[in-house]
Each structure stands twice: as structure tokens, then as C-alpha cells.
């Protein structure tokens, strides 16, 4: 199967190793680090990327610091910064197809999904452009005629933005848009596995910032792996770290940030329950259970990877679910008819396969998938068939740990209390859903779930206007919505005494 009809152009900075945007100029790293970027569909090398050293990360942070202190961006009228974001949104839409193709090349997801991601990214940029211009402070009635008090919101300073590989474009936009709208300067570091669309986005952003006369170091980009992220998280000149990724790295970020008491926002993993009561519409609930678990091969932080079924539904629901899981068409993200792509890497697929083997050893019953596909055209890529594991228990590793692949576990419950207890029996608290025709029950269960997002009779939708984030070990802080802007702001109280006279607190 051909990868694509026409070649997808790579971002220009890759062509001469100028992969770092520091202080307003694309430049080559000081270090000699190189990494091959691999297309997960066929394991071919798309590009070789020059990566930053800790010294490069330090240069980027210092550039961001001096741009912040210079003030023409950080203290600019909000409308000025909003225009840059709006200009970036327009420019992104002009290059919509190019971005979608790059994202599919880099992640293996279908072109339809990548187009959604480009449009969602555009919407996030536009949302924060609009929100920031209407973000009023407030005046406080002090109750004293001679004193005035007001509360204002100011940028935090230099923000490090660290993102994962599953939604590269979308994840950077959730951070970049509010950070810039609030007047911060930034250093971004995308995942080392999928940097292409972030590089291209920063090319467009760089153009917009230059046009607006913003200082060179307003938005910086460094490439590299965890060591570069760690250099940013520990850097004394970074005021805030916003991190999306796994729990192990997230905890390391939190520890590194502690030394200089940085603000930390963490969006980590999930082990998300999808609860189906006996009165749910079976056809719809099965359909959404598939989307919840297998969209983007389950490589979604909010994937509905734990199906909690009312015992009465078990036989019929599981049979239909397994039948339809087997029909999911794996393939080239560029090809028409492909419904799901590969996993991101060979190592990641092996990790997912170990989870499946472990679950079977612990007594799970395989109802669908569990193996690699046999089609010749899928042999080079990192594919795994959508996998349904029945007979699971809350104490199994596959139920407790984030698998981050196309693996759905099934547990059974008898009543509402048991459903809620099973759903909450996890260190995670990101998202989940409840399916029922009983409105009161839907609301009751939603109120008891310890999750940052609850869908009632739906799975996966989100809008930029509503907060996203996790309870418990799924993270701290919120992205999107008004809280997503507040993450990037300091709150300052300004008190003014109109006619000061000595207070004589101390008599002498
Ligand atoms: P990861 O933790 O391996 O990497 C994420 C990013 O952190 C990458 O850019 C990586 O280079 C960097 N990094 C790694 N170690 C670091 C360190 N010590 N200090 C600073 N940076 C470091 O995660 P991943 O495998 O890229 O992404 C998958 C994970 O992301 C899953 O656990 C998933 O649930 C989570 N995720 C969460 C959300 C959410 O909104 N909560 C969204 C998407 C993905």
C-alpha cells in the first residue's frame, strides 16, 4: 500500500539541522545529538533531527527570560497578543492539509483524525485569543472610603511546555495558546518521537511574532528527549512547567521543579472507566465502547480502557463488542478505509503485548485480538489487533496500570454502588463515562466519580471552553477553559490609599 500519493514536505528547519528556535532565530544545536524520526506505519525513517543539549536548553531559557523582561510582549495590550494567536490560527488553517499529512506521517493516525486535530488546534488558538481580551480583573470594595483595592492577572514569566507523542499538535496548543495570550514567554519541547508538526507550528508562529514586532525570544523551541525536558524543569530561570506525559516523568518534573518552587501543571495518564447500566441502549453503548477504547489504537490519555458492565448485559454485549472489534480495519493512515493506525513504536507495542500476556496469565479471557495482524502490508509497522479481555478483576495489573494501547478489559457489577466503587478503585482520575437512560442515575453516578471529566451517554467529546485535567494521580492543574488561562497567570492584589497620613502604630 503506498504511503501517500504525493510526498509530504518536511518543515524547513530539518533540512539544514536548524531545528532549534532560540531568541528569534533558527539555529543548529551546539551538541551533536541526532535522532531518526520513524513512521510507525512502516518503520521507515522520515527525517533525522538534530537535538538540543542541556546548554541549548539553557540558551533558550535565557532568551525567553530576556524577552519577558524587555516587556514589549509581556506588558503589551492583550489585543496585541490576541492578534498574534488569531494570525497563527488563520495561517494554520491555510496550511491545514500540510499539517494533517505531517501529523499522520509522524504518529500513524488516520488523516481524518489528523484533520480533526488541526481544526481543534485552531479552535483552541481562537478561544484563548478571545478569552484573554475579555479577561477582566476585579475591584474590591474595601469598606474604607480612602482606600481602593483591585485584583489583576499578570503573566507568570518563562514557561516550559513539555508535550507527549499521541496528540503532538493538540497538546502543544493547549499550553501555547493560553501561555502566550497571558503574556508569558515560552520554551517548548515536543516529544522526541513526534516533533514534526510542532516544528512547523513554530515556523508559522515565528512569522506572526516577527510581524507583530515581538522580542526574538518570545517563543523558543528545543528538541530532544527526557534529558532536555529535565534541563528545562530544573532550570532556575523557568517560572512554570506545564507537562503532559506519563506518571514517571511527571513525578520527575515535580521533583525537579521543587528546588526553585516553580509552578507545575501536570496532565498525566488515566485508567478510565466506561460504565454501562442495564437500561442503556445496547447498540449505541457497544459502538461508543469501541470508540472509547480503540480510537488512535487506545493511545489516548482518556481512553475508556476499563469497561464496567452490568452483569445482566454480559453475554450479549461482550459478543457484539468482540465481533465489532475484530472488524476494525487497521492500515495506513493515508489510505481510504483505514479505521485505526499502528502503535507509536516497536518498544511501545512490546510493552502493550506484555500487558496482554500478563493478563492472560492472571486469568483474563481473550475475546478479540491479542496478536499482531497477519496482513502482509502491516508487517513492517507497529500494529496490534484491537484486544478485548473478558473476566477481568480489579486486582489484575492490566486493570490497574495504564496500558496506553488497544486493550479493553471487562469487569462486571451488580448495582450502582458496586459500579462506582470499581470505577473509583484506581490511583488515576482523568475521565470516564456512564451509560443509562435514567437521568437521575446518570447524574448520581457522575457526582460520585472521582474524575476530571465525566461523560453521560457519550465518550471523548471536549470543547476548548471546558476544563480538562485529572483528579488524584492523573495530574494537577487544568488545561482549557478559563482555568487553562489562569494556570499561566499570577494574581496580584493592588491596594491604594488615596490620602495617606501617619498611623502612629508605634508611638515614638
Ligand atoms: P513521557 O512521559 O514518556 O514523555 C512526555 C514528554 O516528557 C516527552 O516530551 C518527553 O521527552 C518528556 N520527558 C521524559 N522524561 C522527562 C523528565 N524527566 N523531565 C522532563 N521531561 C521529560 O510520555 P509519552 O510516552 O510521550 O506520552 C504518553 C503519556 O502521556 C501517557 O501516560 C498518557 O496518558 C499521557 N497523556 C496525558 C494527557 C492528559 O491530558 N492527561 C494527554 C496526552 C497524553
Amino acid at each position: 500500500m503506498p504511503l501517500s500519493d504525493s510526498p509530504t514536505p518536511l518543515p524547513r528547519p530539518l533540512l539544514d539541522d536548524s531545528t532549534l528556535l532560540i531568541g528569534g532565530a533558527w539555529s543548529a544545536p551546539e551538541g551533536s545529538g541526532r535522532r531518526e524520526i520513524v513512521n510507525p506505519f512502516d518503520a521507515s525513517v522520515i527525517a533525522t533531527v538534530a537535538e538540543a543539549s542541556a546548554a541549548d536548553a539553557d540558551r533558550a531559557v535565557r532568551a525567553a527570560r530576556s524577552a519577558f523582561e524587555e516587556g514589549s510582549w509581556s506588558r503589551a495590550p492583550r489585543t496585541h497578543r490576541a492578534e498574534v494567536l488569531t494570525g497563527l490560527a488563520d495561517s494554520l488553517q491555510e496550511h491545514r492539509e500540510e499539517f494533517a499529512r505531517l501529523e499522520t506521517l509522524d504518529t500513524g493516525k488516520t488523516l481524518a483524525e489528523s484533520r480533526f486535530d488541526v481544526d481543534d488546534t485552531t479552535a483552541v488558538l481562537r478561544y484563548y485569543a478571545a478569552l484573554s481580551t475579555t479577561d477582566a480583573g476585579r475591584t474590591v470594595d474595601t469598606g474604607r472610603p480612602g482606600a481602593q483595592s483591585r485584583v489583576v492577572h499578570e503573566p507568570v514569566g518563562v514557561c516550559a511546555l513539555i508535550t507527549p507523542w499521541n496528540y503532538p499538535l493538540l497538546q502543544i496548543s493547549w499550553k501555547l495558546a493560553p501561555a502566550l495570550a497571558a503574556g508569558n514567554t515560552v520554551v517548548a519541547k515536543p516529544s522526541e518521537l513526534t516533533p514534526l508538526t510542532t516544528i512547523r507550528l513554530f515556523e508559522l508562529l515565528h512569522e506572526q511574532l516577527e510581524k507583530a514586532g515581538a522580542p526574538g525570544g518570545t517563543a523558543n523551541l528545543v528538541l530532544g528527549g527526557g534529558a532536555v525536558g529535565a534541563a528545562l524543569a530544573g532550570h532556575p530561570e523557568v517560572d512554570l512547567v506545564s507537562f503532559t506525559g506519563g506518571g514517571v516523568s511527571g513525578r520527575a518534573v515535580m521533583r525537579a521543579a521543587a528546588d526553585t518552587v516553580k509552578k507545575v501543571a501536570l496532565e498525566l495518564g488515566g485508567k478510565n472507566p466506561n460504565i454501562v447500566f442495564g437500561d442503556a441502549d445496547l447498540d449505541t453503548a457497544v459502538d461508543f465502547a469501541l470508540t472509547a477504547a480503540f480510537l488512535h489504537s487506545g493511545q489516548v490519555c482518556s481512553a475508556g480502557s476499563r469497561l464496567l458492565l452490568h452483569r445482566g448485559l454480559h453475554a450479549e454485549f461482550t459478543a457484539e463488542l468482540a465481533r465489532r472489534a475484530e472488524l476494525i480495519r487497521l492500515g495506513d493512515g493515508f489510505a481510504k478505509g483505514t479505521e485505526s493506525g499502528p502503535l507509536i513504536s516497536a518498544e511501545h507495542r512490546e510493552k502493550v503485548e506484555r500487558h496482554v500476556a500478563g493478563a492472560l496469565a492472571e486469568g483474563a479471557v481473550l475475546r478479540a485480538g491479542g496478536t499482531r495482524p497477519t496482513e502482509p502490508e502491516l508487517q513492517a509497522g507497529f500494529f496490534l489487533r484491537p484486544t478485548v479481555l473478558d473476566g477481568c478483576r480489579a486486582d489484575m495489573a492490566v486493570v490497574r496500570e495504564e496500558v496506553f494501547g488497544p486493550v479493553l478489559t471487562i469487569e462486571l457489577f451488580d448495582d450502582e454502588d458496586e459500579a462506582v466503587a470499581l470505577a473509583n478503585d484506581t490511583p488515576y482520575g482523568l475521565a470516564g463515562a456512564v451509560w443509562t437512560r435514567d437521568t437521575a442515575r446518570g447524574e448520581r453516578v457522575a457526582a460520585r466519580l472521582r474524575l476530571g471529566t465525566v461523560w453521560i451517554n457519550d465518550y471523548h467529546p471536549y470543547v476548548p471552553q471546558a476544563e480538562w485535567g485529572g483528579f488524584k494521580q492523573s495530574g494537577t492543574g487544568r488545561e482549557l477553559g478559563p482555568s487553562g488561562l489562569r494556570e499561566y497567570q499570577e494574581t496580584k492584589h493592588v491596594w491604594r490609599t488615596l490620602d495617606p497620613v501617619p498611623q502612629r502604630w508605634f508611638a515614638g
Side-chain angles (χ1 to χ4, degrees):
M1 204 177 295
L3 176 65
S4 58
D5 310 332
S6 60
T8 303
L10 294 175
R12 261 173 299 130
L14 289 179
L15 304 180
D16 60 1
D17 275 358
S18 303
T19 52
L20 312 183
L21 179 61
I22 296 181
W26 287 98
S27 61
E30 281 174 17
S32 57
R34 292 279 183 287
R35 188 186 300 266
E36 290 183 336
I37 305 300
V38 171
N39 178 347
F41 166 67
D42 60 4
S44 63
V45 174
I46 309 164
T48 302
V49 173
E51 293 197 329
S53 61
D56 294 312
D58 177 63
R59 274 199 298 137
V61 171
R62 290 184 191 288
R65 169 60 57 198
S66 88
F68 184 80
E69 300 301 340
E70 189 259 358
S72 66
W73 175 258
S74 51
R75 293 195 295 275
R78 290 170 181 193
T79 47
H80 177 74
R81 296 192 297 255
E83 276 166 24
V84 168
L85 293 182
T86 305
L88 181 59
D90 293 343
S91 180
L92 184 58
Q93 277 301 300
E94 280 162 28
H95 296 88
R96 179 175 185 258
E97 203 53 23
E98 177 196 339
F99 271 89
R101 295 182 75 84
L102 262 186
E103 197 77 320
T104 289
L105 200 58
D106 214 357
T107 63
K109 66 176 68 176
T110 66
L111 206 47
E113 283 177 67
S114 294
R115 289 185 185 124
F116 273 120
D117 290 357
V118 179
D119 292 346
D120 283 0
T121 299
T122 309
V124 169
L125 291 166
R126 292 199 197 289
Y127 170 70
Y128 280 112
L131 182 71
S132 62
T133 54
T134 57
D135 177 35
R138 71 180 206 277
T139 52
V140 177
D141 183 352
T142 63
R144 303 180 194 187
Q148 292 178 344
S149 161
R150 67 183 192 277
V151 174
V152 294
H153 300 292
E154 297 182 353
V156 173
V158 174
C159 301
L161 314 178
I162 302 174
T163 52
W165 47 259
N166 59 339
Y167 285 89
L169 195 55
L170 207 57
Q171 293 297 335
I172 191 64
S173 75
W174 289 16
K175 302 180 190 305
L176 188 66
L180 290 180
N184 299 283
T185 58
V186 304
V187 182
K189 193 209 80 66
S191 166
E192 60 275 31
L193 301 180
T194 56
L196 300 184
T197 46
T198 307
I199 300 174
R200 186 70 183 110
L201 186 72
F202 271 69
E203 277 191 285
L204 300 187
L205 174 60
H206 178 47
E207 285 168 19
Q208 295 298 325
L209 288 168
E210 276 202 322
K211 209 158 67 179
T218 302
N220 305 274
L221 175 69
V222 291
L223 303 185
V228 181
L232 296 176
H235 199 294
E237 290 293 338
V238 168
D239 300 295
L240 176 152
V241 190
S242 177
F243 171 91
T244 301
V248 173
S249 331
R251 277 182 274 274
V253 165
M254 216 170 190
R255 277 191 292 270
D259 277 345
T260 48
V261 196
K262 296 182 199 326
K263 292 184 182 308
V264 178
L266 299 175
E267 295 289 341
L268 308 178
K271 195 69 200 179
N272 312 292
N274 185 18
I275 308 169
V276 184
F277 283 96
D279 64 345
D281 177 73
L282 209 74
D283 188 37
T284 311
V286 168
D287 190 67
F288 275 83
L290 291 166
T291 322
F294 299 129
L295 181 76
H296 193 18
S297 292
Q299 301 170 117
V300 183
C301 52
S302 52
S305 55
R306 282 191 298 147
L307 180 63
L308 306 182
L309 268 188
H310 186 264
R311 196 176 298 278
L313 295 176
H314 183 215
E316 199 182 349
F317 198 104
T318 308
E320 180 61 3
L321 184 74
R323 185 188 73 79
R324 289 195 54 190
E326 291 286 4
L327 294 177
I328 293 175
R329 287 195 297 270
L330 303 180
D332 178 359
F334 288 100
K336 278 203 176 64
T338 294
E339 293 179 324
S340 191
L343 299 183
I344 192 67
S345 66
E347 297 72 31
H348 186 53
R349 177 173 62 177
E350 280 162 22
K351 184 188 134 195
V352 175
E353 287 173 328
R354 279 197 297 277
H355 269 292
V356 174
L360 295 176
E362 283 190 272
V365 178
L366 187 66
R367 301 293 296 261
T371 56
R372 300 178 184 187
T374 51
E375 292 89 329
E377 68 272 23
L378 303 184
Q379 295 312 301
F382 313 128
F383 287 92
L384 187 67
R385 291 162 61 216
T387 299
V388 177
L389 295 171
D390 200 358
C392 293
R393 300 179 315 271
D395 62 345
M396 289 179 171
V398 73
V399 173
R400 305 207 69 76
E401 295 167 19
E402 188 184 43
V403 176
F404 218 58
V407 177
L408 177 61
T409 63
I410 302 176
E411 296 166 80
L412 304 179
F413 65 84
D414 288 307
D415 60 26
E416 199 174 304
D417 283 344
E418 192 184 5
V420 170
L422 283 173
N424 284 334
D425 183 13
T426 166
Y428 294 106
L430 189 59
V434 48
W435 291 85
T436 175
R437 287 191 174 112
D438 180 340
T439 308
R441 173 156 62 192
E443 290 294 338
R444 259 194 327 267
V445 172
R448 293 175 68 189
L449 292 176
R450 303 269 298 140
L451 303 171
T453 296
V454 178
W455 293 289
I456 303 176
N457 295 330
D458 213 324
Y459 209 101
H460 276 323
Y462 83 95
V463 286
Q465 304 92 305
E467 275 73 1
W468 179 265
F471 283 30
K472 302 196 272 183
Q473 292 187 30
S474 286
T476 146
R478 287 294 179 272
E479 298 201 293
L480 302 180
S483 312
L485 183 63
R486 285 284 178 266
E487 288 286 345
Y488 294 93
Q489 292 175 318
E490 291 280 15
T491 299
K492 181 184 278 179
H493 175 210
V494 181
W495 174 285
R496 180 164 52 164
T497 295
L498 296 174
D499 196 9
V501 291
Q503 202 181 18
R504 304 294 178 216
W505 182 273
F506 298 109

